[in-house]
Amino acid sequence: GDSVTQMEGPVTLSEEAFLTINCTYTATGYPSLFWYVQYPGEGLQLLLKATKADDKGSNKGFEATYRKETTSFHLEKGSVQVSDSAVYFCALSEKGAQKLVFGQGTRLTINP
Amino acid sequence: ETGVTQTPRHLVMGMTNKKSLKCEQHLGHNAMYWYKQSAKKPLELMFVYNFKEQTENNSVPSRFSPECPNSSHLFLHLHTLQPEDSALYLCASSQDLVGSNQPQHFGDGTRLSIL
């Protein structure tokens, strides 16, 4: 079945550091890929998405590129802020599917 | 404000109690979802409703009973829960089922603790 694997957390960085959170997936077809973010005490919010190979999703300084050849969708940000501290979830959905398949989440803490 | 409101935000109940979780979306969406989020486990999809009809039950125990009276409201009725049911329960909605690339909009969740 479909699955999503994210890098183990927690990840702790200093403010203005470069961020990468790895995400790889297994799918039978050509899924759409998503990154969601969960701030403390809140539900998940869509951060960005990509629906086909080589698409780049971007939002709030975060970027991720749909790499079909490596089945990856790594999340990057050039300069993180304390306000980026949250849990980040990579997810996929197959065309016609009824559900998102989520990774286990990566907790990110940014220190000032 | 995500447009999806869940109440209550926190709930403590004994194993013999009966309670209900409520979710309301103000986005005009057609699909609604219940998820369970436990510590150190991936998000678990519980139920999917599309146009008020249940389209997926992800092998959820019968002590969880969903109800969707209309496209804007979703309930999760709870009875005789177990301690391992303590978790954050998240409601989400989307314009159509997620396979059409529609993003899901999540509520802030109900933190449930079973004594």
Side-chain angles (χ1 to χ4, degrees), chain B:
Chain B
E1 177 58 51
T2 65
V4 180
T5 303
Q6 289 187 243
T7 54
R9 291 296 309 276
H10 302 274
L11 179 61
V12 179
M13 55 188 286
M15 287 191 284
T16 57
N17 291 155
K18 290 184 180 181
K19 295 285 185 183
S20 296
L21 310 185
K22 179 182 176 182
C23 176
E24 182 174 2
Q25 56 97 359
H26 310 277
L27 301 167
H29 289 169
N30 298 316
M32 296 187 78
Y33 312 78
W34 277 118
Y35 288 88
K36 177 182 179 183
Q37 186 176 28
S38 305
K40 300 183 180 178
K41 292 176 70 174
L43 241 64
E44 300 173 55
L45 179 68
M46 300 174 73
F47 301 103
V48 179
Y49 278 80
N50 192 34
F51 290 98
K52 302 188 299 177
E53 298 297 321
Q54 187 181 124
T55 58
E56 179 145 347
N57 175 338
N58 207 24
S59 302
V60 180
S62 59
R63 58 186 184 269
F64 295 92
S65 175
E67 178 190 2
C68 189
N70 54 61
S71 292
S72 299
H73 294 86
L74 185 64
F75 295 90
L76 189 63
H77 303 300
L78 317 171
H79 64 98
T80 59
L81 295 192
Q82 304 300 310
E84 61 266 27
D85 297 323
S86 297
L88 181 68
Y89 288 84
L90 292 166
C91 174
S93 70
S94 59
Q95 182 61 53
D96 299 298
L97 290 175
V98 69
S100 61
N101 298 325
Q102 298 294 322
Q104 290 187 352
H105 296 254
F106 284 79
D108 288 338
T110 295
R111 174 71 61 187
L112 177 65
S113 299
I114 306 300
L115 301 178

Side-chain angles (χ1 to χ4, degrees), chain A residues 4-13 19-24 35-39 44 47 62 73-75 84-91 102-110, chain B residues 37 40-43:
Chain A
V4 175
T5 302
Q6 294 179 231
M7 64 187 289
E8 288 280 336
V11 174
T12 302
L13 296 172
L19 168 71
T20 300
I21 301 178
N22 290 340
C23 171
T24 57
W35 276 101
Y36 282 80
V37 59
Q38 184 177 30
Y39 298 104
L44 279 68
L47 182 60
F62 290 89
F73 192 54
H74 304 321
L75 183 68
D84 294 326
S85 298
V87 181
Y88 292 80
F89 293 89
C90 186
F102 284 91
Q104 74 271 32
T106 302
R107 182 174 298 278
L108 173 67
T109 301
I110 307 299
Chain B
Q37 186 176 28
K40 300 183 180 178
K41 292 176 70 174
L43 241 64

